[in-house]
Amino acid sequence: SEGLTIEVTYDDGTTMIKDGGFEVSDLDTSSIGRKSLTITYENLTAEFDVVVKDVTEIRLNEKISLELNNSIREYVKFIPIVDGSYKFCTTDAAYYNYIYIYDSVMNLLTYNSGSSATISYSFVAGEIYYIAVRYSYSDYSGSLNISVECAEHIDVTDDDVCDCCGIDLNTAIAT
């Protein structure tokens, strides 16, 4: 529930935004479909329906086109092949956009924004991460591309070849 806020309306009509002090039920994401989520605050509960969708996996040096609607986040899954820093970029976006990086249980790790947003993060090999993108305003819709590449070359095998992307580091350094 990190990053989640709720709006509480009291009997006198005042409202407050809360970023803690509430409980969120576990969400079964092991299968796609409509699921129920319960939020409890001061002995009051509210139940919400959420839809668990299949998420496309993005791979190193791949570009994926996503269709965005009304500032709703679209997600891709990323599983790094080696520990290291990877860079995600959005291109061909019609509007200002955001990129978010979450861990496997949807804790927000970092985010960035821009008309062509770029974000780098140090990932752990084999772990599942989710990358979300959205347009900045609710009335914006359209497509954009997201891609991932090495943010810095990694050579733990000491063979002068990047373990992340396979580039010959002697050639990369010379250019």
Side-chain angles (χ1 to χ4, degrees), residues 38-159:
T38 303
I39 297 177
T40 305
Y41 176 74
E42 294 184 352
N43 297 321
L44 299 171
T45 61
E47 192 166 296
F48 300 91
D49 284 336
V50 296
V51 177
V52 176
K53 296 176 16 176
D54 192 18
V55 178
T56 302
E57 185 173 344
I58 190 168
R59 292 179 176 80
L60 187 63
N61 299 322
E62 182 177 37
K63 184 189 292 188
I64 293 177
S65 181
L66 297 173
E67 191 65 34
L68 303 180
N69 293 301
N70 304 325
S71 76
I72 296 172
R73 296 177 189 184
E74 288 294 327
Y75 294 84
V76 294
K77 179 170 52 173
F78 178 62
I79 305 172
I81 55 175
V82 295
D83 291 354
S85 184
Y86 294 81
K87 179 172 68 173
F88 288 84
C89 304
T90 60
T91 56
D92 303 321
Y95 308 103
Y96 194 85
N97 59 88
Y98 288 84
I99 301 177
Y100 304 86
I101 299 177
Y102 297 91
D103 66 13
S104 63
V105 293
M106 297 306 291
N107 291 312
L108 179 63
L109 301 173
T110 189
Y111 70 95
N112 199 10
S113 61
S115 55
S116 289
T118 300
I119 191 166
S120 295
Y121 189 79
S122 291
F123 293 88
V124 176
E127 295 289 322
I128 297 172
Y129 297 89
Y130 294 98
I131 315 305
V133 294
R134 74 169 177 87
Y135 280 132
S136 57
Y137 296 106
S138 61
D139 57 343
Y140 289 176
S141 295
S143 62
L144 62 70
N145 294 315
I146 184 167
S147 60
V148 59
E149 59 188 49
C150 291
E152 57 189 47
H153 295 298
I154 306 156
D155 186 16
V156 294
T157 56
D158 203 27
D159 60 358

